[in-house]
Amino acid sequence: MPKIVLLWTDAAVWLLVIALLAYAWVVVRNPNLSANWRKVFRDAPALASSLVLALCLLVTLADSVHYRLPLPHAEGAPAGLVAYDTRTRSLLDAGLSRLIDSREVTYSRPLAYVSFTKETVTATDGRAERVAPRLKHGGVHLTKPEQQWGQDVLLRAGLGLLKGAMLATILVGLLLACLARSRQSTLGEALASVWRNEGEIPWRAAVWTIVVLALLIGAVISLMGGYHVLGTDTTGNDVLYQALKSIRTAFVIGSLATVATLPLAVVLGIMAGYFGGWVDEVIQYMYTVLSSVPNVLLIAACVLMVQVFLDTHPDLFETAVERADLKLFLLCTVLGLTGWAGLCRLLRGETLKLRELDYVQAANAFGVSHTRIMLRHIFPNVAHLMLIVTVLEFSSLILYEAVLSYVGVGVDPSMNSFGGMINFARKEMSRDPVVWWSFAAAFGFMVTVVLAANLFADGVRDAFDPRARSFRPRLAIRPPASSTR
């Protein structure tokens, strides 16, 4: 049996998922919240981006279940003693084991069957020639690669697209079945309604997003069975594997760092706006001083102190993964503790308005305690601001991690991240010829995640912020032909 390893960020990610499910249950039971979230998904870009983020979340969850495999029983060892491998794996690693095991010697281009770096060999006539050697894993199944490569790539891509189309058909069929059941119509009527883009929710955008994602996933899975889809880096490791592993790092940074800002920002912001006087002045002084210090310098100083602690206490960790994970967790904490000033200032200004309203003044007149007023009357009316800022900050923190890792004060170098990939690709971009695929993969994946988060954040802001709401007319669902006669 493998040994389950619970990392700090694993526990935090699963706790956040549980909290997200609990919030979804509250939304279902609250008509006002349900109406607001329906407005979010009325926006086609927000609906499509939510599916992309959901796929990234699934990758994050699969990469947040870690374990260590038992080693074979050594001769002469005690019968009950079980030794475990020093490598910590995840469910995502198990699914991508082929990419992990197909390590090459050095660089290789995407979908290549020869190495990017040439070697000197002696020809039959004694002359020295520079040739690109065959890869150990990429295209190794080809006997005559010069003639077979193009046809093989097209065949694998076509089969992958076909499998992706089958998957998309199944998923879209399930979606249409649910819609037909909720609308008490037939499957054909539900399909026609989705095609005409009728109804409150733009399901046509969701259908096209599912189709595109399924086709891409099918093609990539089919091609990575025989090639390195995005090439390999200087150590021969698969770039696609590194990019997929970096999704978890981006999600952990974006979610945990954002959540870490909430306690200080909410408590201090509401207290400053509600009590006023010297309490307000002290809290204003605190976040003004914090805002006057450059964030990069402050975070770099804190991360370097964390690095010193980790270097001087190596006995606290069994494996290098646990050490790198704790550094990531502490980095999220540092980002949260240094980034609460903006939300605190926003909540203070909103609380200053709320405390003057009639129902708050009436509660004060009846002798209701300050704590109860802040919990029952102030906090629920500023919760929408917390949600908007939380979603908006998610993408900015992902970019922040990329910048920090690029300058060398981000996540541990042994942990995959978009910033680390871009940092390692810095020297590759100065080569001649240029090794462009590592940088392109990191940039493409990071832009996809950040763009999806930004589009979803725009939908949340438009739905929850009364000053930014924009109502787009939607086509009503046509009644069945039988009911109009």
Side-chain angles (χ1 to χ4, degrees), residues 357-402:
L357 297 182
D358 293 340
Y359 62 90
V360 177
Q361 296 293 330
N364 273 317
F366 280 104
V368 180
S369 64
H370 297 307
T371 303
R372 188 174 180 83
I373 292 176
M374 288 187 287
L375 289 176
R376 294 293 299 272
H377 300 297
I378 303 296
F379 178 76
N381 289 284
V382 299
H384 69 284
L385 295 176
M386 294 166 44
L387 180 62
I388 294 170
V389 173
T390 298
V391 179
L392 289 173
E393 286 294 319
F394 178 84
S395 56
S396 62
L397 285 169
I398 294 177
L399 297 175
Y400 220 103
E401 179 274 327

mmCIF file of all heavy atoms in Angstrom, residues 357-402:
data_model
loop_
_atom_site.group_PDB
_atom_site.id
_atom_site.type_symbol
_atom_site.label_atom_id
_atom_site.label_comp_id
_atom_site.label_asym_id
_atom_site.label_seq_id
_atom_site.Cartn_x
_atom_site.Cartn_y
_atom_site.Cartn_z
ATOM 1 N N LEU A 357 -26.810 54.441 8.060
ATOM 2 C CA LEU A 357 -28.151 54.063 7.608
ATOM 3 C C LEU A 357 -29.093 53.859 8.793
ATOM 4 O O LEU A 357 -28.660 53.629 9.928
ATOM 5 C CB LEU A 357 -28.077 52.797 6.757
ATOM 6 C CG LEU A 357 -27.265 52.919 5.451
ATOM 7 C CD1 LEU A 357 -27.300 51.607 4.682
ATOM 8 C CD2 LEU A 357 -27.792 54.058 4.576
ATOM 9 N N ASP A 358 -30.393 53.913 8.506
ATOM 10 C CA ASP A 358 -31.394 53.908 9.574
ATOM 11 C C ASP A 358 -31.378 52.622 10.383
ATOM 12 O O ASP A 358 -31.503 52.661 11.613
ATOM 13 C CB ASP A 358 -32.788 54.127 8.967
ATOM 14 C CG ASP A 358 -32.946 55.509 8.374
ATOM 15 O OD1 ASP A 358 -32.146 56.398 8.756
ATOM 16 O OD2 ASP A 358 -33.838 55.709 7.526
ATOM 17 N N TYR A 359 -31.248 51.466 9.720
ATOM 18 C CA TYR A 359 -31.349 50.228 10.479
ATOM 19 C C TYR A 359 -30.143 50.022 11.396
ATOM 20 O O TYR A 359 -30.260 49.423 12.466
ATOM 21 C CB TYR A 359 -31.522 49.030 9.534
ATOM 22 C CG TYR A 359 -30.379 48.783 8.578
ATOM 23 C CD1 TYR A 359 -29.318 47.958 8.938
ATOM 24 C CD2 TYR A 359 -30.386 49.349 7.307
ATOM 25 C CE1 TYR A 359 -28.292 47.717 8.058
ATOM 26 C CE2 TYR A 359 -29.360 49.108 6.426
ATOM 27 C CZ TYR A 359 -28.313 48.291 6.805
ATOM 28 O OH TYR A 359 -27.283 48.057 5.931
ATOM 29 N N VAL A 360 -28.983 50.570 11.031
ATOM 30 C CA VAL A 360 -27.818 50.486 11.915
ATOM 31 C C VAL A 360 -28.001 51.445 13.090
ATOM 32 O O VAL A 360 -27.705 51.095 14.247
ATOM 33 C CB VAL A 360 -26.527 50.791 11.139
ATOM 34 C CG1 VAL A 360 -25.316 50.782 12.078
ATOM 35 C CG2 VAL A 360 -26.328 49.781 10.024
ATOM 36 N N GLN A 361 -28.498 52.634 12.823
ATOM 37 C CA GLN A 361 -28.749 53.588 13.900
ATOM 38 C C GLN A 361 -29.820 53.057 14.858
ATOM 39 O O GLN A 361 -29.724 53.229 16.079
ATOM 40 C CB GLN A 361 -29.181 54.929 13.306
ATOM 41 C CG GLN A 361 -28.124 55.607 12.451
ATOM 42 C CD GLN A 361 -26.928 56.051 13.272
ATOM 43 O OE1 GLN A 361 -27.044 56.374 14.461
ATOM 44 N NE2 GLN A 361 -25.762 56.034 12.650
ATOM 45 N N ALA A 362 -30.836 52.395 14.309
ATOM 46 C CA ALA A 362 -31.871 51.822 15.165
ATOM 47 C C ALA A 362 -31.324 50.707 16.038
ATOM 48 O O ALA A 362 -31.683 50.584 17.221
ATOM 49 C CB ALA A 362 -33.020 51.301 14.296
ATOM 50 N N ALA A 363 -30.459 49.891 15.492
ATOM 51 C CA ALA A 363 -29.843 48.826 16.292
ATOM 52 C C ALA A 363 -29.016 49.414 17.420
ATOM 53 O O ALA A 363 -29.024 48.902 18.556
ATOM 54 C CB ALA A 363 -28.986 47.933 15.392
ATOM 55 N N ASN A 364 -28.298 50.496 17.142
ATOM 56 C CA ASN A 364 -27.545 51.171 18.209
ATOM 57 C C ASN A 364 -28.481 51.726 19.274
ATOM 58 O O ASN A 364 -28.198 51.642 20.479
ATOM 59 C CB ASN A 364 -26.701 52.298 17.612
ATOM 60 C CG ASN A 364 -25.344 51.822 17.138
ATOM 61 O OD1 ASN A 364 -24.689 51.047 17.826
ATOM 62 N ND2 ASN A 364 -24.938 52.270 15.957
ATOM 63 N N ALA A 365 -29.584 52.303 18.846
ATOM 64 C CA ALA A 365 -30.517 52.891 19.804
ATOM 65 C C ALA A 365 -31.144 51.838 20.699
ATOM 66 O O ALA A 365 -31.431 52.104 21.878
ATOM 67 C CB ALA A 365 -31.602 53.660 19.042
ATOM 68 N N PHE A 366 -31.354 50.622 20.196
ATOM 69 C CA PHE A 366 -31.933 49.550 21.001
ATOM 70 C C PHE A 366 -30.889 48.813 21.845
ATOM 71 O O PHE A 366 -31.213 47.832 22.527
ATOM 72 C CB PHE A 366 -32.655 48.549 20.104
ATOM 73 C CG PHE A 366 -34.021 49.001 19.689
ATOM 74 C CD1 PHE A 366 -34.256 49.473 18.406
ATOM 75 C CD2 PHE A 366 -35.086 48.976 20.586
ATOM 76 C CE1 PHE A 366 -35.517 49.897 18.015
ATOM 77 C CE2 PHE A 366 -36.347 49.401 20.202
ATOM 78 C CZ PHE A 366 -36.576 49.861 18.919
ATOM 79 N N GLY A 367 -29.654 49.258 21.800
ATOM 80 C CA GLY A 367 -28.622 48.674 22.651
ATOM 81 C C GLY A 367 -28.006 47.395 22.137
ATOM 82 O O GLY A 367 -27.402 46.632 22.915
ATOM 83 N N VAL A 368 -28.112 47.134 20.844
ATOM 84 C CA VAL A 368 -27.469 45.948 20.269
ATOM 85 C C VAL A 368 -25.958 46.141 20.324
ATOM 86 O O VAL A 368 -25.438 47.234 20.060
ATOM 87 C CB VAL A 368 -27.947 45.724 18.819
ATOM 88 C CG1 VAL A 368 -27.278 44.496 18.213
ATOM 89 C CG2 VAL A 368 -29.460 45.587 18.781
ATOM 90 N N SER A 369 -25.237 45.089 20.664
ATOM 91 C CA SER A 369 -23.786 45.184 20.813
ATOM 92 C C SER A 369 -23.132 45.502 19.466
ATOM 93 O O SER A 369 -23.658 45.175 18.395
ATOM 94 C CB SER A 369 -23.216 43.881 21.360
ATOM 95 O OG SER A 369 -23.411 42.814 20.450
ATOM 96 N N HIS A 370 -21.942 46.134 19.563
ATOM 97 C CA HIS A 370 -21.220 46.496 18.346
ATOM 98 C C HIS A 370 -20.834 45.260 17.535
ATOM 99 O O HIS A 370 -20.896 45.270 16.297
ATOM 100 C CB HIS A 370 -19.969 47.299 18.709
ATOM 101 C CG HIS A 370 -20.264 48.598 19.385
ATOM 102 N ND1 HIS A 370 -21.128 49.532 18.866
ATOM 103 C CD2 HIS A 370 -19.803 49.124 20.555
ATOM 104 C CE1 HIS A 370 -21.198 50.584 19.670
ATOM 105 N NE2 HIS A 370 -20.398 50.355 20.712
ATOM 106 N N THR A 371 -20.430 44.219 18.215
ATOM 107 C CA THR A 371 -20.030 42.994 17.512
ATOM 108 C C THR A 371 -21.191 42.424 16.722
ATOM 109 O O THR A 371 -21.035 42.012 15.557
ATOM 110 C CB THR A 371 -19.507 41.954 18.506
ATOM 111 O OG1 THR A 371 -18.419 42.517 19.254
ATOM 112 C CG2 THR A 371 -19.044 40.700 17.793
ATOM 113 N N ARG A 372 -22.373 42.396 17.322
ATOM 114 C CA ARG A 372 -23.538 41.849 16.634
ATOM 115 C C ARG A 372 -23.950 42.724 15.449
ATOM 116 O O ARG A 372 -24.354 42.208 14.396
ATOM 117 C CB ARG A 372 -24.704 41.725 17.616
ATOM 118 C CG ARG A 372 -25.911 40.985 17.046
ATOM 119 C CD ARG A 372 -26.963 40.768 18.117
ATOM 120 N NE ARG A 372 -28.120 40.054 17.590
ATOM 121 C CZ ARG A 372 -28.200 38.738 17.457
ATOM 122 N NH1 ARG A 372 -27.166 37.990 17.812
ATOM 123 N NH2 ARG A 372 -29.298 38.170 16.973
ATOM 124 N N ILE A 373 -23.835 44.028 15.600
ATOM 125 C CA ILE A 373 -24.168 44.932 14.498
ATOM 126 C C ILE A 373 -23.223 44.706 13.324
ATOM 127 O O ILE A 373 -23.646 44.633 12.165
ATOM 128 C CB ILE A 373 -24.127 46.393 14.971
ATOM 129 C CG1 ILE A 373 -25.258 46.669 15.961
ATOM 130 C CG2 ILE A 373 -24.209 47.350 13.780
ATOM 131 C CD1 ILE A 373 -25.224 48.057 16.547
ATOM 132 N N MET A 374 -21.929 44.580 13.624
ATOM 133 C CA MET A 374 -20.960 44.377 12.541
ATOM 134 C C MET A 374 -21.163 43.033 11.852
ATOM 135 O O MET A 374 -20.985 42.913 10.639
ATOM 136 C CB MET A 374 -19.536 44.504 13.090
ATOM 137 C CG MET A 374 -19.143 45.931 13.437
ATOM 138 S SD MET A 374 -17.395 46.118 13.892
ATOM 139 C CE MET A 374 -17.402 45.346 15.518
ATOM 140 N N LEU A 375 -21.546 42.000 12.634
ATOM 141 C CA LEU A 375 -21.734 40.670 12.049
ATOM 142 C C LEU A 375 -23.052 40.552 11.299
ATOM 143 O O LEU A 375 -23.112 39.926 10.237
ATOM 144 C CB LEU A 375 -21.656 39.599 13.146
ATOM 145 C CG LEU A 375 -20.282 39.343 13.756
ATOM 146 C CD1 LEU A 375 -20.383 38.318 14.889
ATOM 147 C CD2 LEU A 375 -19.297 38.850 12.704
ATOM 148 N N ARG A 376 -24.134 41.133 11.837
ATOM 149 C CA ARG A 376 -25.463 40.923 11.274
ATOM 150 C C ARG A 376 -25.874 41.994 10.263
ATOM 151 O O ARG A 376 -26.695 41.719 9.380
ATOM 152 C CB ARG A 376 -26.503 40.898 12.404
ATOM 153 C CG ARG A 376 -26.350 39.719 13.357
ATOM 154 C CD ARG A 376 -26.656 38.403 12.660
ATOM 155 N NE ARG A 376 -28.009 38.375 12.169
ATOM 156 C CZ ARG A 376 -29.062 37.979 12.872
ATOM 157 N NH1 ARG A 376 -28.889 37.592 14.132
ATOM 158 N NH2 ARG A 376 -30.276 37.962 12.344
ATOM 159 N N HIS A 377 -25.337 43.201 10.379
ATOM 160 C CA HIS A 377 -25.801 44.302 9.532
ATOM 161 C C HIS A 377 -24.719 44.849 8.594
ATOM 162 O O HIS A 377 -25.030 45.235 7.468
ATOM 163 C CB HIS A 377 -26.340 45.445 10.396
ATOM 164 C CG HIS A 377 -27.486 45.046 11.269
ATOM 165 N ND1 HIS A 377 -28.681 44.624 10.754
ATOM 166 C CD2 HIS A 377 -27.619 44.994 12.627
ATOM 167 C CE1 HIS A 377 -29.516 44.321 11.745
ATOM 168 N NE2 HIS A 377 -28.886 44.544 12.892
ATOM 169 N N ILE A 378 -23.467 44.885 9.055
ATOM 170 C CA ILE A 378 -22.410 45.465 8.226
ATOM 171 C C ILE A 378 -21.808 44.411 7.297
ATOM 172 O O ILE A 378 -21.732 44.610 6.081
ATOM 173 C CB ILE A 378 -21.308 46.094 9.105
ATOM 174 C CG1 ILE A 378 -21.911 47.160 10.034
ATOM 175 C CG2 ILE A 378 -20.216 46.691 8.223
ATOM 176 C CD1 ILE A 378 -22.493 48.342 9.311
ATOM 177 N N PHE A 379 -21.374 43.285 7.865
ATOM 178 C CA PHE A 379 -20.668 42.277 7.075
ATOM 179 C C PHE A 379 -21.485 41.759 5.890
ATOM 180 O O PHE A 379 -20.951 41.668 4.773
ATOM 181 C CB PHE A 379 -20.236 41.119 7.981
ATOM 182 C CG PHE A 379 -19.552 40.008 7.244
ATOM 183 C CD1 PHE A 379 -18.242 40.134 6.828
ATOM 184 C CD2 PHE A 379 -20.232 38.825 6.952
ATOM 185 C CE1 PHE A 379 -17.610 39.122 6.142
ATOM 186 C CE2 PHE A 379 -19.619 37.804 6.272
ATOM 187 C CZ PHE A 379 -18.299 37.951 5.857
ATOM 188 N N PRO A 380 -22.771 41.398 6.044
ATOM 189 C CA PRO A 380 -23.504 40.908 4.869
ATOM 190 C C PRO A 380 -23.615 41.930 3.741
ATOM 191 O O PRO A 380 -23.741 41.548 2.569
ATOM 192 C CB PRO A 380 -24.893 40.565 5.438
ATOM 193 C CG PRO A 380 -24.667 40.333 6.891
ATOM 194 C CD PRO A 380 -23.590 41.302 7.268
ATOM 195 N N ASN A 381 -23.564 43.204 4.065
ATOM 196 C CA ASN A 381 -23.713 44.231 3.039
ATOM 197 C C ASN A 381 -22.394 44.627 2.384
ATOM 198 O O ASN A 381 -22.396 45.449 1.451
ATOM 199 C CB ASN A 381 -24.371 45.478 3.644
ATOM 200 C CG ASN A 381 -25.834 45.260 3.960
ATOM 201 O OD1 ASN A 381 -26.678 45.253 3.074
ATOM 202 N ND2 ASN A 381 -26.132 45.046 5.234
ATOM 203 N N VAL A 382 -21.283 44.103 2.870
ATOM 204 C CA VAL A 382 -19.993 44.323 2.193
ATOM 205 C C VAL A 382 -19.445 43.017 1.621
ATOM 206 O O VAL A 382 -18.352 43.015 1.052
ATOM 207 C CB VAL A 382 -18.954 44.947 3.156
ATOM 208 C CG1 VAL A 382 -19.429 46.296 3.661
ATOM 209 C CG2 VAL A 382 -18.651 44.015 4.328
ATOM 210 N N ALA A 383 -20.197 41.919 1.769
ATOM 211 C CA ALA A 383 -19.706 40.623 1.292
ATOM 212 C C ALA A 383 -19.519 40.613 -0.220
ATOM 213 O O ALA A 383 -18.622 39.945 -0.736
ATOM 214 C CB ALA A 383 -20.665 39.511 1.726
ATOM 215 N N HIS A 384 -20.378 41.355 -0.951
ATOM 216 C CA HIS A 384 -20.230 41.366 -2.403
ATOM 217 C C HIS A 384 -18.918 42.012 -2.827
ATOM 218 O O HIS A 384 -18.305 41.616 -3.825
ATOM 219 C CB HIS A 384 -21.415 42.097 -3.048
ATOM 220 C CG HIS A 384 -21.444 43.569 -2.780
ATOM 221 N ND1 HIS A 384 -21.838 44.100 -1.556
ATOM 222 C CD2 HIS A 384 -21.126 44.629 -3.571
ATOM 223 C CE1 HIS A 384 -21.776 45.408 -1.618
ATOM 224 N NE2 HIS A 384 -21.338 45.754 -2.822
ATOM 225 N N LEU A 385 -18.454 43.012 -2.068
ATOM 226 C CA LEU A 385 -17.163 43.624 -2.373
ATOM 227 C C LEU A 385 -16.026 42.635 -2.158
ATOM 228 O O LEU A 385 -15.063 42.595 -2.938
ATOM 229 C CB LEU A 385 -16.953 44.867 -1.507
ATOM 230 C CG LEU A 385 -17.917 46.028 -1.735
ATOM 231 C CD1 LEU A 385 -17.644 47.146 -0.753
ATOM 232 C CD2 LEU A 385 -17.801 46.529 -3.164
ATOM 233 N N MET A 386 -16.106 41.835 -1.087
ATOM 234 C CA MET A 386 -15.094 40.803 -0.843
ATOM 235 C C MET A 386 -15.038 39.822 -2.005
ATOM 236 O O MET A 386 -13.950 39.457 -2.469
ATOM 237 C CB MET A 386 -15.413 40.051 0.452
ATOM 238 C CG MET A 386 -15.316 40.874 1.709
ATOM 239 S SD MET A 386 -16.096 40.003 3.095
ATOM 240 C CE MET A 386 -15.473 38.349 2.844
ATOM 241 N N LEU A 387 -16.194 39.396 -2.466
ATOM 242 C CA LEU A 387 -16.240 38.428 -3.565
ATOM 243 C C LEU A 387 -15.643 39.015 -4.837
ATOM 244 O O LEU A 387 -14.852 38.357 -5.532
ATOM 245 C CB LEU A 387 -17.684 37.992 -3.802
ATOM 246 C CG LEU A 387 -17.914 36.977 -4.925
ATOM 247 C CD1 LEU A 387 -17.189 35.685 -4.614
ATOM 248 C CD2 LEU A 387 -19.400 36.728 -5.114
ATOM 249 N N ILE A 388 -15.997 40.245 -5.145
ATOM 250 C CA ILE A 388 -15.489 40.875 -6.368
ATOM 251 C C ILE A 388 -13.977 41.024 -6.310
ATOM 252 O O ILE A 388 -13.261 40.659 -7.249
ATOM 253 C CB ILE A 388 -16.166 42.238 -6.580
ATOM 254 C CG1 ILE A 388 -17.660 42.058 -6.853
ATOM 255 C CG2 ILE A 388 -15.511 43.006 -7.713
ATOM 256 C CD1 ILE A 388 -18.443 43.347 -6.845
ATOM 257 N N VAL A 389 -13.463 41.546 -5.205
ATOM 258 C CA VAL A 389 -12.019 41.756 -5.074
ATOM 259 C C VAL A 389 -11.279 40.419 -5.068
ATOM 260 O O VAL A 389 -10.199 40.288 -5.654
ATOM 261 C CB VAL A 389 -11.721 42.561 -3.792
ATOM 262 C CG1 VAL A 389 -10.222 42.634 -3.534
ATOM 263 C CG2 VAL A 389 -12.299 43.957 -3.910
ATOM 264 N N THR A 390 -11.866 39.400 -4.420
ATOM 265 C CA THR A 390 -11.225 38.093 -4.374
ATOM 266 C C THR A 390 -11.053 37.512 -5.766
ATOM 267 O O THR A 390 -9.977 37.000 -6.119
ATOM 268 C CB THR A 390 -12.057 37.125 -3.510
ATOM 269 O OG1 THR A 390 -12.116 37.629 -2.167
ATOM 270 C CG2 THR A 390 -11.424 35.747 -3.487
ATOM 271 N N VAL A 391 -12.081 37.600 -6.573
ATOM 272 C CA VAL A 391 -12.000 37.049 -7.930
ATOM 273 C C VAL A 391 -11.053 37.875 -8.792
ATOM 274 O O VAL A 391 -10.274 37.333 -9.592
ATOM 275 C CB VAL A 391 -13.405 36.992 -8.555
ATOM 276 C CG1 VAL A 391 -13.336 36.457 -9.969
ATOM 277 C CG2 VAL A 391 -14.319 36.114 -7.719
ATOM 278 N N LEU A 392 -11.077 39.192 -8.633
ATOM 279 C CA LEU A 392 -10.195 40.040 -9.428
ATOM 280 C C LEU A 392 -8.733 39.850 -9.059
ATOM 281 O O LEU A 392 -7.846 39.900 -9.930
ATOM 282 C CB LEU A 392 -10.587 41.511 -9.252
ATOM 283 C CG LEU A 392 -11.903 41.952 -9.892
ATOM 284 C CD1 LEU A 392 -12.235 43.382 -9.502
ATOM 285 C CD2 LEU A 392 -11.831 41.836 -11.403
ATOM 286 N N GLU A 393 -8.442 39.617 -7.777
ATOM 287 C CA GLU A 393 -7.066 39.463 -7.329
ATOM 288 C C GLU A 393 -6.483 38.113 -7.711
ATOM 289 O O GLU A 393 -5.263 37.939 -7.704
ATOM 290 C CB GLU A 393 -6.992 39.632 -5.803
ATOM 291 C CG GLU A 393 -7.153 41.062 -5.324
ATOM 292 C CD GLU A 393 -5.996 41.932 -5.783
ATOM 293 O OE1 GLU A 393 -4.838 41.465 -5.737
ATOM 294 O OE2 GLU A 393 -6.246 43.078 -6.195
ATOM 295 N N PHE A 394 -7.330 37.138 -8.028
ATOM 296 C CA PHE A 394 -6.846 35.796 -8.343
ATOM 297 C C PHE A 394 -5.857 35.826 -9.501
ATOM 298 O O PHE A 394 -4.752 35.280 -9.425
ATOM 299 C CB PHE A 394 -8.038 34.894 -8.674
ATOM 300 C CG PHE A 394 -7.658 33.491 -9.056
ATOM 301 C CD1 PHE A 394 -7.428 32.539 -8.087
ATOM 302 C CD2 PHE A 394 -7.541 33.129 -10.389
ATOM 303 C CE1 PHE A 394 -7.070 31.252 -8.435
ATOM 304 C CE2 PHE A 394 -7.198 31.845 -10.748
ATOM 305 C CZ PHE A 394 -6.958 30.904 -9.766
ATOM 306 N N SER A 395 -6.238 36.475 -10.604
ATOM 307 C CA SER A 395 -5.370 36.494 -11.776
ATOM 308 C C SER A 395 -4.131 37.355 -11.550
ATOM 309 O O SER A 395 -3.045 37.017 -12.027
ATOM 310 C CB SER A 395 -6.151 37.025 -12.984
ATOM 311 O OG SER A 395 -6.689 38.308 -12.712
ATOM 312 N N SER A 396 -4.274 38.457 -10.807
ATOM 313 C CA SER A 396 -3.105 39.315 -10.572
ATOM 314 C C SER A 396 -2.055 38.616 -9.730
ATOM 315 O O SER A 396 -0.848 38.811 -9.924
ATOM 316 C CB SER A 396 -3.540 40.621 -9.903
ATOM 317 O OG SER A 396 -4.120 40.373 -8.637
ATOM 318 N N LEU A 397 -2.485 37.757 -8.804
ATOM 319 C CA LEU A 397 -1.526 37.020 -7.981
ATOM 320 C C LEU A 397 -0.801 35.954 -8.792
ATOM 321 O O LEU A 397 0.366 35.641 -8.524
ATOM 322 C CB LEU A 397 -2.239 36.387 -6.789
ATOM 323 C CG LEU A 397 -2.627 37.374 -5.681
ATOM 324 C CD1 LEU A 397 -3.561 36.710 -4.679
ATOM 325 C CD2 LEU A 397 -1.379 37.882 -4.974
ATOM 326 N N ILE A 398 -1.466 35.370 -9.790
ATOM 327 C CA ILE A 398 -0.780 34.427 -10.670
ATOM 328 C C ILE A 398 0.346 35.139 -11.420
ATOM 329 O O ILE A 398 1.471 34.628 -11.537
ATOM 330 C CB ILE A 398 -1.779 33.798 -11.651
ATOM 331 C CG1 ILE A 398 -2.792 32.934 -10.890
ATOM 332 C CG2 ILE A 398 -1.059 32.951 -12.704
ATOM 333 C CD1 ILE A 398 -3.863 32.333 -11.781
ATOM 334 N N LEU A 399 0.071 36.334 -11.916
ATOM 335 C CA LEU A 399 1.107 37.112 -12.584
ATOM 336 C C LEU A 399 2.190 37.535 -11.607
ATOM 337 O O LEU A 399 3.378 37.586 -11.961
ATOM 338 C CB LEU A 399 0.480 38.343 -13.246
ATOM 339 C CG LEU A 399 -0.537 38.057 -14.363
ATOM 340 C CD1 LEU A 399 -1.164 39.357 -14.848
ATOM 341 C CD2 LEU A 399 0.128 37.326 -15.512
ATOM 342 N N TYR A 400 1.803 37.813 -10.363
ATOM 343 C CA TYR A 400 2.780 38.207 -9.348
ATOM 344 C C TYR A 400 3.763 37.074 -9.099
ATOM 345 O O TYR A 400 4.969 37.293 -8.945
ATOM 346 C CB TYR A 400 2.053 38.568 -8.053
ATOM 347 C CG TYR A 400 2.625 39.765 -7.341
ATOM 348 C CD1 TYR A 400 1.987 40.991 -7.406
ATOM 349 C CD2 TYR A 400 3.797 39.681 -6.616
ATOM 350 C CE1 TYR A 400 2.495 42.096 -6.772
ATOM 351 C CE2 TYR A 400 4.325 40.777 -5.966
ATOM 352 C CZ TYR A 400 3.674 41.993 -6.055
ATOM 353 O OH TYR A 400 4.200 43.089 -5.427
ATOM 354 N N GLU A 401 3.231 35.839 -9.037
ATOM 355 C CA GLU A 401 4.117 34.679 -8.827
ATOM 356 C C GLU A 401 5.111 34.542 -9.965
ATOM 357 O O GLU A 401 6.285 34.204 -9.751
ATOM 358 C CB GLU A 401 3.268 33.413 -8.699
ATOM 359 C CG GLU A 401 4.075 32.134 -8.495
ATOM 360 C CD GLU A 401 4.533 31.509 -9.802
ATOM 361 O OE1 GLU A 401 3.799 31.620 -10.797
ATOM 362 O OE2 GLU A 401 5.650 30.942 -9.823
ATOM 363 N N ALA A 402 4.648 34.785 -11.192
ATOM 364 C CA ALA A 402 5.547 34.699 -12.345
ATOM 365 C C ALA A 402 6.679 35.716 -12.232
ATOM 366 O O ALA A 402 7.840 35.404 -12.522
ATOM 367 C CB ALA A 402 4.760 34.901 -13.637
#
